[in-house]
Amino acid sequence: MTQALLTYYENFTPVGDILALAACIVFIILIRHAYINRTKSFFYLKSAIIMIMASALFDIIYHISVQYIGKIPVFVNYFTRGIYHFALYSVLWLFVLYTKTLLGLDRKGARPYFIFAAIGFIFVGAFEIVGTIAGIGYHIDENGGVHSGFPIYPFAYVYFMIVIFAMVLRHQHRFVRMVILSVAETVAASFIVMGIQRLCNQTSFTVATFLFPVFALLYHVHSNPYDIETGTVSEHAFEDFVELAGSKGENCYFMSMYMHDFEGKGRKYPRRIQQAVRYFSTKFFKSATVFQISGGHMILTVETRKIPGYMERSQWMIDEFLKVYPQYRIDYKIVFIESDSRLVKGNDYIAFLHYMHDNMEKNSFIRAGNKEVETYLTHQYIISELKDICEKKDPDDSRVLVYCQPVYSIKTGKFDTAESLMRLVLPKTGMVFPDIFIPIAERNGYIGSLTKIILSKTCKAVKKLIESGYYVKRISVNFSVYDLREEDFCSVVEETIRSNDIPFEKIAIELTESQNEADFKLIKERINELKGSGIKFYLDDFGTGYSNFERIMELPFDIVKFDRSLVIASGNDERYHSMVSNLARMFREVHYSVLYEGIEDEADEARCIEMDARYLQGYKYSKPIPIERLTEYFEKTS
Ligand code: C2E
Ligand code: CA
Ligand code: CA
């Protein structure tokens, strides 16, 4: 052994490797106990940590074997050094895989980098073997002299780093800049350490430098600190959790808790709630994770395989919760749901749970299953179809149907008016009724498009009926308060009627009264604006809200539609009868016509006629029918 080389080996101290091993053990402890964002890329980082441990261990063994050259077979020396170097190159290779996954590159996108990395890997591996055999690389001569040969390793390191950074820079838009900078700086720190140890004739700290970028990545990409007070982790982690469980085929049980009072940002839980969250999340399920989705929404999640009695445990938890609940006096909604193959991503579960929360009673809990998921998916499907209808803006969209219910006029003894009622026919569900889709359309901002279509289709049908010689006094169309809020409401209505070339008085607009002061004003303005054109206005569902007679008087409606509930009540009870009858009389006296809705039989009919009815509508005469079939009720003009 040359003098320089001798010091080189004599200088070796296992301290660097022992430190690297210890740091890896710390990482493993953290990974086991802290919540880590287990993205797909995390697997490679974990593998890299294991390979770093292997290289540190074999570096130590190899250096021990150097001291025993001559006493033990040289094979042992070559072998341990081989494993040490192979582990290091594997770490570099894993870094390439990790970066590719983190960047979300597909096979094609990653191919050039893989080819370069593979060439590097093969070349370095071949050099290590051939160099040893040919005597230009590391080898031991017949006298037991150790020759380090050409140091290929630093070149391999630089080469792999170039491949990785080329990949990152090419796709830097997919990456947070801070992460790129951090990793680049830690790699620079690695170079400095390696440079210094060269100057000092050292090799002891090589393995340790591989940990630097691992630090940066764990911190930036995978750390997800617990909320120290409640022990919860963020929504972001929920996504990863669900994705990972899905890819492993793990079944999960989700327990979702929603507290409306804490919804909205910046509201911290009071101490007793924090304690309760900690208590409930740790007492019943040993390996549960609580995800904080929003201020008021938490999801306790377990992998069912790890907790065999999870159902009984959840019941036990609910029982205990109900016992202590009265002392908290906070409204809650709880939903239990097991993994369902139709819900794929974390987001799907969150959207499903929101849907459940929106549609359940306060202070109740539901064990959701197949039926609820089915309903939710139908709901999602309806939303997607409504969105499509809204985007296509086709006034003849065949998914929107106009049904009509003929209305009987007492004065003329004929059916000459009707109410248009919307139906949807969707490819996957068939006919959908308005009590299902109208609230969805209103909540998601699609109602305006539907109203435009139904108005246009109604106008077209009216025109056709008139052209076929039928007498149509008018058809009323239901409008939502959301429609009135549109700036161009009046012009759209006028334009639609005008473009279909029918007189304005053939169309009426049905509106329900509004509690809200701004909407009340808006209704008044809109009616006044359109009234002059000849369009009539109906007040719908009178008797269902907080109807205020005086306020209604302020609104220039033409017809008041008494809801079916008033028709029923008037038949059940003398007091109601006199009340409804008096209301109807009062309306008539101030020149509002009264229409009774929901006339089902002759008794309803007789009673309503006696109570100042001007119009009658209900199943007694006809159920809603496709608008073309009005010809069965309307008469031809002579
Ligand atoms: P609505 O405006 O009060 O319409 C009357 C509802 O009562 C219709 O239900 C009708 O089928 C039903 N009905 C009629 N006669 C009787 C009867 O004798 N007995 C009973 N029990 N019910 C009767 P439909 O068609 O399911 O519509 C439900 C609601 O959906 C409507 O209530 C209306 O608020 C809304 N809607 C329907 N079409 C439209 C539309 O084009 N636009 C908007 N914004 N809302 C609509
Ligand atoms: Ca109506
Ligand atoms: Ca009504």
Side-chain angles (χ1 to χ4, degrees):
M1 215 184 277
T2 64
Q3 193 51 43
L5 202 56
L6 196 64
T7 41
Y8 202 65
Y9 284 93
E10 274 174 0
N11 280 350
F12 177 80
T13 149
V15 167
D17 289 323
I18 290 170
L19 213 60
L21 275 171
C24 288
I25 290 168
V26 171
F27 279 154
I28 290 168
I29 292 170
L30 277 176
I31 291 167
R32 277 179 62 86
H33 297 289
Y35 192 87
I36 297 282
N37 287 344
R38 281 164 208 274
T39 52
K40 270 192 213 137
S41 58
F42 183 68
F43 168 77
Y44 296 117
L45 198 65
K46 211 166 67 176
S47 308
I49 292 172
I50 290 166
M51 288 317 251
I52 291 171
M53 288 179 83
S55 54
L57 198 64
F58 276 87
D59 192 22
I60 297 172
I61 300 173
Y62 156 64
H63 278 93
I64 294 170
S65 82
V66 170
Q67 291 166 16
Y68 290 94
I69 287 174
K71 296 183 189 126
I72 54 168
V74 275
F75 159 76
V76 176
N77 185 268
Y78 282 132
F79 178 75
T80 49
R81 185 179 178 279
I83 299 236
Y84 160 49
H85 274 205
F86 173 77
L88 278 188
Y89 296 136
S90 303
V91 175
L92 293 173
W93 179 244
L94 285 164
F95 281 164
V96 174
L97 287 172
Y98 175 86
T99 313
K100 170 238 163 194
T101 319
L102 200 59
L103 288 169
L105 296 190
D106 57 11
R107 266 213 166 136
K108 201 167 144 255
R111 193 174 296 142
Y113 309 102
F114 274 10
I115 292 173
F116 274 109
I119 292 172
F121 200 79
I122 293 166
F123 179 80
V124 175
F127 184 90
E128 293 270 8
I129 296 167
V130 176
T132 298
I133 297 167
I136 48 164
Y138 173 84
H139 65 281
I140 300 164
D141 60 29
E142 307 88 67
N143 310 321
V146 180
H147 303 269
S148 67
F150 181 76
I152 186 76
Y153 159 74
F155 292 94
Y157 190 89
V158 173
Y159 179 84
F160 270 90
M161 286 305 149
I162 290 172
V163 173
I164 290 170
F165 278 99
M167 175 159 43
V168 171
L169 293 178
R170 172 79 180 71
H171 302 280
Q172 53 178 304
H173 57 281
R174 301 191 183 194
F175 232 79
V176 188
R177 228 178 110 75
M178 273 84 75
V179 183
I180 304 178
L181 283 176
S182 290
V183 174
E185 284 163 22
T186 54
V187 169
S190 305
F191 276 120
I192 292 170
V193 171
M194 282 192 260
I196 293 172
Q197 71 168 358
R198 275 274 146 191
L199 289 177
C200 304
N201 260 330
Q202 267 283 3
T203 57
S204 316
F205 301 95
T206 306
V207 178
T209 61
F210 275 69
L211 285 171
F212 299 176
V214 177
F215 267 118
L217 291 166
L218 264 181
Y219 186 84
H220 276 292
V221 186
H222 303 282
S223 79
N224 196 316
Y226 287 94
D227 176 319
I228 288 300
E229 276 138 359
T230 55
T232 57
V233 281
S234 80
E235 172 189 5
H236 175 62
F238 185 69
E239 281 288 309
D240 296 333
F241 181 91
V242 172
E243 190 177 331
L244 189 81
S247 69
K248 287 195 299 187
E250 285 283 357
N251 201 46
C252 298
Y253 195 57
F254 304 97
M255 291 157 271
S256 159
M257 160 90 142
Y258 179 70
M259 294 179 287
H260 182 78
D261 292 1
F262 297 110
E263 199 53 45
K265 284 196 193 97
R267 293 198 67 170
K268 244 181 125 156
Y269 294 144
R271 184 142 285 246
R272 64 205 174 96
I273 302 283
Q274 288 172 359
Q275 280 166 354
V277 171
R278 267 204 314 272
Y279 173 77
F280 276 99
S281 58
T282 50
K283 164 141 189 209
F284 301 92
F285 299 95
K286 237 170 70 197
S287 59
T289 312
V290 190
F291 298 91
Q292 180 95 47
I293 306 300
S294 64
H297 188 195
M298 274 177 281
I299 306 178
L300 182 71
T301 311
V302 290
E303 289 181 2
T304 53
R305 191 176 49 85
K306 293 185 185 155
I307 319 241
Y310 62 94
M311 275 289 183
E312 295 81 57
R313 282 174 178 277
S314 69
Q315 188 56 46
W316 176 24
M317 180 166 85
I318 279 287
D319 293 343
E320 175 130 352
F321 174 80
L322 292 177
K323 254 187 255 157
V324 299
Y325 166 68
Q327 81 191 59
Y328 293 106
R329 268 184 262 116
I330 288 167
D331 289 334
Y332 67 87
K333 291 173 176 179
I334 296 177
V335 179
F336 296 92
I337 172 89
E338 216 162 306
S339 294
D340 189 302
S341 58
R342 291 165 296 178
L343 304 174
V344 184
K345 295 192 168 160
N347 256 339
D348 297 342
Y349 283 92
I350 294 174
F352 169 76
L353 292 167
H354 281 173
Y355 170 77
M356 293 298 294
H357 295 154
D358 285 346
N359 292 288
M360 69 191 280
E361 295 284 312
K362 260 196 256 171
N363 302 329
S364 66
F365 70 94
I366 295 183
R367 288 188 187 278
N370 190 30
K371 198 180 95 221
E372 285 78 10
V373 175
E374 192 78 52
T375 318
Y376 162 73
L377 292 172
T378 306
H379 175 266
Q380 291 304 96
Y381 170 66
I382 293 173
I383 292 184
S384 69
E385 287 285 322
L386 287 174
K387 180 162 184 267
D388 188 62
I389 291 173
C390 185
E391 282 167 1
K392 292 227 165 85
K393 288 197 173 66
D394 173 10
D396 300 317
D397 200 310
S398 60
R399 288 167 288 187
V400 181
L401 299 190
V402 191
Y403 269 54
C404 247
Q405 195 175 27
V407 174
Y408 181 74
S409 162
I410 307 274
K411 198 161 128 194
T412 60
K414 287 177 186 158
F415 294 98
D416 49 16
T417 62
E419 174 180 12
S420 111
L421 294 159
M422 188 165 13
R423 305 286 182 260
L424 289 185
V425 177
L426 304 179
K428 283 196 202 156
T429 55
M431 192 175 290
V432 188
F433 287 87
D435 42 336
I436 304 281
F437 70 79
I438 296 283
I440 302 179
E442 288 184 337
R443 225 177 299 144
N444 294 279
Y446 303 132
I447 188 72
S449 308
L450 292 183
T451 308
K452 279 183 194 138
I453 298 176
I454 199 86
L455 178 62
S456 163
K457 287 197 169 198
T458 305
C459 290
K460 283 199 177 84
V462 168
K463 181 157 174 72
K464 221 168 145 195
L465 283 168
I466 295 174
E467 281 174 353
S468 313
Y470 287 91
Y471 176 66
V472 183
K473 192 171 160 75
R474 74 180 154 263
I475 308 253
S476 57
V477 180
N478 290 284
F479 277 65
S480 147
V481 68
Y482 294 91
D483 295 319
L484 298 192
R485 289 187 197 147
E486 296 289 326
E487 280 297 324
D488 57 355
F489 169 78
C490 295
S491 57
V492 167
V493 171
E494 285 179 323
E495 188 42 41
T496 310
I497 302 176
R498 195 176 295 124
S499 66
N500 281 290
D501 197 23
I502 54 167
F504 282 99
E505 59 269 17
K506 297 293 172 199
I507 295 295
I509 292 177
E510 295 198 11
L511 299 170
T512 50
E513 57 188 315
S514 182
Q515 273 304 100
N516 171 317
E517 186 58 34
D519 286 338
F520 181 84
K521 276 201 184 128
L522 192 68
I523 293 179
K524 198 167 160 179
E525 271 171 37
R526 299 296 197 215
I527 299 182
N528 283 325
E529 209 174 326
L530 281 178
K531 222 161 170 183
S533 65
I535 297 173
K536 293 258 183 299
F537 283 88
Y538 291 21
L539 172 66
D540 202 358
D541 298 338
F542 176 74
T544 55
Y546 299 84
S547 304
N548 176 332
F549 194 79
E550 273 168 53
R551 267 174 93 74
I552 290 173
M553 289 297 135
E554 281 183 48
L555 301 170
F557 281 107
D558 301 281
I559 291 175
V560 181
K561 298 185 78 169
F562 277 37
D563 188 71
R564 170 160 168 76
S565 56
L566 294 183
V567 175
I568 296 173
S570 68
N572 287 345
D573 179 322
E574 191 39 50
R575 276 182 24 246
Y576 272 111
H577 180 268
S578 104
M579 192 189 85
V580 175
S581 156
N582 277 317
L583 277 170
R585 190 176 41 78
M586 276 154 68
F587 274 118
R588 200 203 53 198
E589 280 168 5
V590 288
H591 309 294
Y592 287 71
S593 300
V594 173
L595 183 158
Y596 285 100
E597 282 193 283
I599 305 295
E600 291 192 352
D601 52 33
E602 276 169 15
D604 287 345
E605 180 185 64
R607 198 169 59 253
C608 293
I609 291 177
E610 175 237 322
M611 295 192 297
D612 283 291
R614 170 75 175 76
Y615 295 101
L616 297 173
Q617 178 183 350
Y619 292 165
K620 174 172 188 294
Y621 310 103
S622 168
K623 296 212 158 176
I625 48 173
I627 195 162
E628 306 78 43
R629 282 186 50 204
L630 276 183
T631 51
E632 295 168 23
Y633 292 84
F634 284 13
E635 289 181 8
K636 291 217 173 186
T637 43
S638 46

mmCIF file with all atom_site columns, all heavy atoms in Angstrom, residues 270-284:
data_model
loop_
_atom_site.group_PDB
_atom_site.id
_atom_site.type_symbol
_atom_site.label_atom_id
_atom_site.label_alt_id
_atom_site.label_comp_id
_atom_site.label_asym_id
_atom_site.label_entity_id
_atom_site.label_seq_id
_atom_site.pdbx_PDB_ins_code
_atom_site.Cartn_x
_atom_site.Cartn_y
_atom_site.Cartn_z
_atom_site.occupancy
_atom_site.B_iso_or_equiv
_atom_site.pdbx_formal_charge
_atom_site.auth_seq_id
_atom_site.auth_comp_id
_atom_site.auth_asym_id
_atom_site.auth_atom_id
_atom_site.pdbx_PDB_model_num
ATOM 1   N N   . PRO A 1 270 ? -62.465 25.333 21.497 1.00 0.00 ? 270 PRO A N   1
ATOM 2   C CA  . PRO A 1 270 ? -62.197 25.562 22.915 1.00 0.00 ? 270 PRO A CA  1
ATOM 3   C C   . PRO A 1 270 ? -61.475 24.335 23.482 1.00 0.00 ? 270 PRO A C   1
ATOM 4   O O   . PRO A 1 270 ? -61.555 23.244 22.912 1.00 0.00 ? 270 PRO A O   1
ATOM 5   C CB  . PRO A 1 270 ? -63.580 25.699 23.533 1.00 0.00 ? 270 PRO A CB  1
ATOM 6   C CG  . PRO A 1 270 ? -64.559 25.657 22.429 1.00 0.00 ? 270 PRO A CG  1
ATOM 7   C CD  . PRO A 1 270 ? -63.869 25.271 21.173 1.00 0.00 ? 270 PRO A CD  1
ATOM 8   N N   . ARG A 1 271 ? -60.797 24.556 24.609 1.00 0.00 ? 271 ARG A N   1
ATOM 9   C CA  . ARG A 1 271 ? -59.968 23.508 25.193 1.00 0.00 ? 271 ARG A CA  1
ATOM 10  C C   . ARG A 1 271 ? -60.705 22.177 25.406 1.00 0.00 ? 271 ARG A C   1
ATOM 11  O O   . ARG A 1 271 ? -60.227 21.113 25.084 1.00 0.00 ? 271 ARG A O   1
ATOM 12  C CB  . ARG A 1 271 ? -59.427 24.024 26.535 1.00 0.00 ? 271 ARG A CB  1
ATOM 13  C CG  . ARG A 1 271 ? -58.473 23.091 27.226 1.00 0.00 ? 271 ARG A CG  1
ATOM 14  C CD  . ARG A 1 271 ? -57.394 23.866 27.877 1.00 0.00 ? 271 ARG A CD  1
ATOM 15  N NE  . ARG A 1 271 ? -56.488 24.336 26.846 1.00 0.00 ? 271 ARG A NE  1
ATOM 16  C CZ  . ARG A 1 271 ? -55.219 23.929 26.746 1.00 0.00 ? 271 ARG A CZ  1
ATOM 17  N NH1 . ARG A 1 271 ? -54.737 23.098 27.574 1.00 0.00 ? 271 ARG A NH1 1
ATOM 18  N NH2 . ARG A 1 271 ? -54.433 24.358 25.802 1.00 0.00 ? 271 ARG A NH2 1
ATOM 19  N N   . ARG A 1 272 ? -61.956 22.285 25.918 1.00 0.00 ? 272 ARG A N   1
ATOM 20  C CA  . ARG A 1 272 ? -62.664 21.034 26.236 1.00 0.00 ? 272 ARG A CA  1
ATOM 21  C C   . ARG A 1 272 ? -62.980 20.242 24.967 1.00 0.00 ? 272 ARG A C   1
ATOM 22  O O   . ARG A 1 272 ? -63.032 19.028 24.962 1.00 0.00 ? 272 ARG A O   1
ATOM 23  C CB  . ARG A 1 272 ? -63.919 21.312 27.062 1.00 0.00 ? 272 ARG A CB  1
ATOM 24  C CG  . ARG A 1 272 ? -64.946 22.117 26.343 1.00 0.00 ? 272 ARG A CG  1
ATOM 25  C CD  . ARG A 1 272 ? -65.866 22.875 27.272 1.00 0.00 ? 272 ARG A CD  1
ATOM 26  N NE  . ARG A 1 272 ? -66.707 23.721 26.442 1.00 0.00 ? 272 ARG A NE  1
ATOM 27  C CZ  . ARG A 1 272 ? -67.912 23.390 26.036 1.00 0.00 ? 272 ARG A CZ  1
ATOM 28  N NH1 . ARG A 1 272 ? -68.449 22.266 26.410 1.00 0.00 ? 272 ARG A NH1 1
ATOM 29  N NH2 . ARG A 1 272 ? -68.598 24.190 25.252 1.00 0.00 ? 272 ARG A NH2 1
ATOM 30  N N   . ILE A 1 273 ? -63.168 20.987 23.840 1.00 0.00 ? 273 ILE A N   1
ATOM 31  C CA  . ILE A 1 273 ? -63.435 20.270 22.581 1.00 0.00 ? 273 ILE A CA  1
ATOM 32  C C   . ILE A 1 273 ? -62.140 19.612 22.096 1.00 0.00 ? 273 ILE A C   1
ATOM 33  O O   . ILE A 1 273 ? -62.140 18.461 21.652 1.00 0.00 ? 273 ILE A O   1
ATOM 34  C CB  . ILE A 1 273 ? -63.968 21.233 21.496 1.00 0.00 ? 273 ILE A CB  1
ATOM 35  C CG1 . ILE A 1 273 ? -65.232 21.935 21.966 1.00 0.00 ? 273 ILE A CG1 1
ATOM 36  C CG2 . ILE A 1 273 ? -64.211 20.494 20.177 1.00 0.00 ? 273 ILE A CG2 1
ATOM 37  C CD1 . ILE A 1 273 ? -66.484 21.108 21.920 1.00 0.00 ? 273 ILE A CD1 1
ATOM 38  N N   . GLN A 1 274 ? -61.040 20.353 22.229 1.00 0.00 ? 274 GLN A N   1
ATOM 39  C CA  . GLN A 1 274 ? -59.746 19.776 21.834 1.00 0.00 ? 274 GLN A CA  1
ATOM 40  C C   . GLN A 1 274 ? -59.520 18.465 22.576 1.00 0.00 ? 274 GLN A C   1
ATOM 41  O O   . GLN A 1 274 ? -59.128 17.460 21.994 1.00 0.00 ? 274 GLN A O   1
ATOM 42  C CB  . GLN A 1 274 ? -58.608 20.732 22.200 1.00 0.00 ? 274 GLN A CB  1
ATOM 43  C CG  . GLN A 1 274 ? -58.541 21.959 21.331 1.00 0.00 ? 274 GLN A CG  1
ATOM 44  C CD  . GLN A 1 274 ? -57.524 22.966 21.866 1.00 0.00 ? 274 GLN A CD  1
ATOM 45  O OE1 . GLN A 1 274 ? -56.893 22.747 22.898 1.00 0.00 ? 274 GLN A OE1 1
ATOM 46  N NE2 . GLN A 1 274 ? -57.385 24.067 21.165 1.00 0.00 ? 274 GLN A NE2 1
ATOM 47  N N   . GLN A 1 275 ? -59.815 18.531 23.884 1.00 0.00 ? 275 GLN A N   1
ATOM 48  C CA  . GLN A 1 275 ? -59.593 17.324 24.694 1.00 0.00 ? 275 GLN A CA  1
ATOM 49  C C   . GLN A 1 275 ? -60.499 16.190 24.238 1.00 0.00 ? 275 GLN A C   1
ATOM 50  O O   . GLN A 1 275 ? -60.079 15.044 24.147 1.00 0.00 ? 275 GLN A O   1
ATOM 51  C CB  . GLN A 1 275 ? -59.854 17.634 26.169 1.00 0.00 ? 275 GLN A CB  1
ATOM 52  C CG  . GLN A 1 275 ? -58.678 18.341 26.802 1.00 0.00 ? 275 GLN A CG  1
ATOM 53  C CD  . GLN A 1 275 ? -59.033 18.962 28.142 1.00 0.00 ? 275 GLN A CD  1
ATOM 54  O OE1 . GLN A 1 275 ? -60.199 18.959 28.556 1.00 0.00 ? 275 GLN A OE1 1
ATOM 55  N NE2 . GLN A 1 275 ? -58.043 19.512 28.810 1.00 0.00 ? 275 GLN A NE2 1
ATOM 56  N N   . ALA A 1 276 ? -61.745 16.559 23.927 1.00 0.00 ? 276 ALA A N   1
ATOM 57  C CA  . ALA A 1 276 ? -62.696 15.529 23.500 1.00 0.00 ? 276 ALA A CA  1
ATOM 58  C C   . ALA A 1 276 ? -62.233 14.888 22.194 1.00 0.00 ? 276 ALA A C   1
ATOM 59  O O   . ALA A 1 276 ? -62.319 13.671 22.033 1.00 0.00 ? 276 ALA A O   1
ATOM 60  C CB  . ALA A 1 276 ? -64.086 16.131 23.338 1.00 0.00 ? 276 ALA A CB  1
ATOM 61  N N   . VAL A 1 277 ? -61.724 15.719 21.276 1.00 0.00 ? 277 VAL A N   1
ATOM 62  C CA  . VAL A 1 277 ? -61.252 15.180 19.992 1.00 0.00 ? 277 VAL A CA  1
ATOM 63  C C   . VAL A 1 277 ? -60.119 14.193 20.242 1.00 0.00 ? 277 VAL A C   1
ATOM 64  O O   . VAL A 1 277 ? -60.106 13.079 19.721 1.00 0.00 ? 277 VAL A O   1
ATOM 65  C CB  . VAL A 1 277 ? -60.787 16.315 19.045 1.00 0.00 ? 277 VAL A CB  1
ATOM 66  C CG1 . VAL A 1 277 ? -60.105 15.732 17.806 1.00 0.00 ? 277 VAL A CG1 1
ATOM 67  C CG2 . VAL A 1 277 ? -61.959 17.197 18.640 1.00 0.00 ? 277 VAL A CG2 1
ATOM 68  N N   . ARG A 1 278 ? -59.186 14.589 21.096 1.00 0.00 ? 278 ARG A N   1
ATOM 69  C CA  . ARG A 1 278 ? -58.053 13.692 21.408 1.00 0.00 ? 278 ARG A CA  1
ATOM 70  C C   . ARG A 1 278 ? -58.547 12.405 22.048 1.00 0.00 ? 278 ARG A C   1
ATOM 71  O O   . ARG A 1 278 ? -58.147 11.311 21.689 1.00 0.00 ? 278 ARG A O   1
ATOM 72  C CB  . ARG A 1 278 ? -57.084 14.394 22.356 1.00 0.00 ? 278 ARG A CB  1
ATOM 73  C CG  . ARG A 1 278 ? -55.970 15.122 21.669 1.00 0.00 ? 278 ARG A CG  1
ATOM 74  C CD  . ARG A 1 278 ? -54.767 15.282 22.576 1.00 0.00 ? 278 ARG A CD  1
ATOM 75  N NE  . ARG A 1 278 ? -55.105 15.735 23.914 1.00 0.00 ? 278 ARG A NE  1
ATOM 76  C CZ  . ARG A 1 278 ? -55.209 17.012 24.270 1.00 0.00 ? 278 ARG A CZ  1
ATOM 77  N NH1 . ARG A 1 278 ? -55.029 17.956 23.383 1.00 0.00 ? 278 ARG A NH1 1
ATOM 78  N NH2 . ARG A 1 278 ? -55.512 17.352 25.502 1.00 0.00 ? 278 ARG A NH2 1
ATOM 79  N N   . TYR A 1 279 ? -59.488 12.570 22.990 1.00 0.00 ? 279 TYR A N   1
ATOM 80  C CA  . TYR A 1 279 ? -59.992 11.426 23.736 1.00 0.00 ? 279 TYR A CA  1
ATOM 81  C C   . TYR A 1 279 ? -60.687 10.434 22.803 1.00 0.00 ? 279 TYR A C   1
ATOM 82  O O   . TYR A 1 279 ? -60.354 9.255  22.758 1.00 0.00 ? 279 TYR A O   1
ATOM 83  C CB  . TYR A 1 279 ? -60.958 11.916 24.815 1.00 0.00 ? 279 TYR A CB  1
ATOM 84  C CG  . TYR A 1 279 ? -61.683 10.813 25.542 1.00 0.00 ? 279 TYR A CG  1
ATOM 85  C CD1 . TYR A 1 279 ? -61.030 10.065 26.522 1.00 0.00 ? 279 TYR A CD1 1
ATOM 86  C CD2 . TYR A 1 279 ? -63.008 10.515 25.246 1.00 0.00 ? 279 TYR A CD2 1
ATOM 87  C CE1 . TYR A 1 279 ? -61.692 9.042  27.180 1.00 0.00 ? 279 TYR A CE1 1
ATOM 88  C CE2 . TYR A 1 279 ? -63.677 9.493  25.900 1.00 0.00 ? 279 TYR A CE2 1
ATOM 89  C CZ  . TYR A 1 279 ? -63.011 8.760  26.867 1.00 0.00 ? 279 TYR A CZ  1
ATOM 90  O OH  . TYR A 1 279 ? -63.665 7.750  27.506 1.00 0.00 ? 279 TYR A OH  1
ATOM 91  N N   . PHE A 1 280 ? -61.630 10.951 22.002 1.00 0.00 ? 280 PHE A N   1
ATOM 92  C CA  . PHE A 1 280 ? -62.412 10.048 21.164 1.00 0.00 ? 280 PHE A CA  1
ATOM 93  C C   . PHE A 1 280 ? -61.580 9.414  20.057 1.00 0.00 ? 280 PHE A C   1
ATOM 94  O O   . PHE A 1 280 ? -61.867 8.318  19.612 1.00 0.00 ? 280 PHE A O   1
ATOM 95  C CB  . PHE A 1 280 ? -63.627 10.775 20.572 1.00 0.00 ? 280 PHE A CB  1
ATOM 96  C CG  . PHE A 1 280 ? -64.779 10.798 21.523 1.00 0.00 ? 280 PHE A CG  1
ATOM 97  C CD1 . PHE A 1 280 ? -65.027 11.913 22.298 1.00 0.00 ? 280 PHE A CD1 1
ATOM 98  C CD2 . PHE A 1 280 ? -65.584 9.689  21.673 1.00 0.00 ? 280 PHE A CD2 1
ATOM 99  C CE1 . PHE A 1 280 ? -66.070 11.928 23.204 1.00 0.00 ? 280 PHE A CE1 1
ATOM 100 C CE2 . PHE A 1 280 ? -66.643 9.687  22.575 1.00 0.00 ? 280 PHE A CE2 1
ATOM 101 C CZ  . PHE A 1 280 ? -66.878 10.815 23.343 1.00 0.00 ? 280 PHE A CZ  1
ATOM 102 N N   . SER A 1 281 ? -60.551 10.139 19.609 1.00 0.00 ? 281 SER A N   1
ATOM 103 C CA  . SER A 1 281 ? -59.787 9.578  18.497 1.00 0.00 ? 281 SER A CA  1
ATOM 104 C C   . SER A 1 281 ? -58.765 8.558  18.961 1.00 0.00 ? 281 SER A C   1
ATOM 105 O O   . SER A 1 281 ? -58.256 7.803  18.158 1.00 0.00 ? 281 SER A O   1
ATOM 106 C CB  . SER A 1 281 ? -59.115 10.693 17.704 1.00 0.00 ? 281 SER A CB  1
ATOM 107 O OG  . SER A 1 281 ? -58.280 11.426 18.549 1.00 0.00 ? 281 SER A OG  1
ATOM 108 N N   . THR A 1 282 ? -58.450 8.529  20.236 1.00 0.00 ? 282 THR A N   1
ATOM 109 C CA  . THR A 1 282 ? -57.434 7.573  20.668 1.00 0.00 ? 282 THR A CA  1
ATOM 110 C C   . THR A 1 282 ? -58.005 6.433  21.506 1.00 0.00 ? 282 THR A C   1
ATOM 111 O O   . THR A 1 282 ? -57.467 5.349  21.528 1.00 0.00 ? 282 THR A O   1
ATOM 112 C CB  . THR A 1 282 ? -56.333 8.274  21.493 1.00 0.00 ? 282 THR A CB  1
ATOM 113 O OG1 . THR A 1 282 ? -56.967 9.050  22.505 1.00 0.00 ? 282 THR A OG1 1
ATOM 114 C CG2 . THR A 1 282 ? -55.477 9.157  20.622 1.00 0.00 ? 282 THR A CG2 1
ATOM 115 N N   . LYS A 1 283 ? -59.149 6.686  22.172 1.00 0.00 ? 283 LYS A N   1
ATOM 116 C CA  . LYS A 1 283 ? -59.642 5.675  23.096 1.00 0.00 ? 283 LYS A CA  1
ATOM 117 C C   . LYS A 1 283 ? -60.203 4.439  22.389 1.00 0.00 ? 283 LYS A C   1
ATOM 118 O O   . LYS A 1 283 ? -60.000 3.320  22.829 1.00 0.00 ? 283 LYS A O   1
ATOM 119 C CB  . LYS A 1 283 ? -60.724 6.295  23.984 1.00 0.00 ? 283 LYS A CB  1
ATOM 120 C CG  . LYS A 1 283 ? -61.540 5.246  24.692 1.00 0.00 ? 283 LYS A CG  1
ATOM 121 C CD  . LYS A 1 283 ? -61.895 5.611  26.079 1.00 0.00 ? 283 LYS A CD  1
ATOM 122 C CE  . LYS A 1 283 ? -62.517 4.395  26.761 1.00 0.00 ? 283 LYS A CE  1
ATOM 123 N NZ  . LYS A 1 283 ? -63.448 4.737  27.782 1.00 0.00 ? 283 LYS A NZ  1
ATOM 124 N N   . PHE A 1 284 ? -60.926 4.641  21.283 1.00 0.00 ? 284 PHE A N   1
ATOM 125 C CA  . PHE A 1 284 ? -61.655 3.517  20.706 1.00 0.00 ? 284 PHE A CA  1
ATOM 126 C C   . PHE A 1 284 ? -60.900 2.800  19.586 1.00 0.00 ? 284 PHE A C   1
ATOM 127 O O   . PHE A 1 284 ? -61.162 1.659  19.278 1.00 0.00 ? 284 PHE A O   1
ATOM 128 C CB  . PHE A 1 284 ? -63.025 3.992  20.216 1.00 0.00 ? 284 PHE A CB  1
ATOM 129 C CG  . PHE A 1 284 ? -63.841 4.593  21.323 1.00 0.00 ? 284 PHE A CG  1
ATOM 130 C CD1 . PHE A 1 284 ? -63.789 5.953  21.572 1.00 0.00 ? 284 PHE A CD1 1
ATOM 131 C CD2 . PHE A 1 284 ? -64.594 3.788  22.149 1.00 0.00 ? 284 PHE A CD2 1
ATOM 132 C CE1 . PHE A 1 284 ? -64.511 6.509  22.609 1.00 0.00 ? 284 PHE A CE1 1
ATOM 133 C CE2 . PHE A 1 284 ? -65.318 4.334  23.195 1.00 0.00 ? 284 PHE A CE2 1
ATOM 134 C CZ  . PHE A 1 284 ? -65.269 5.702  23.427 1.00 0.00 ? 284 PHE A CZ  1
#
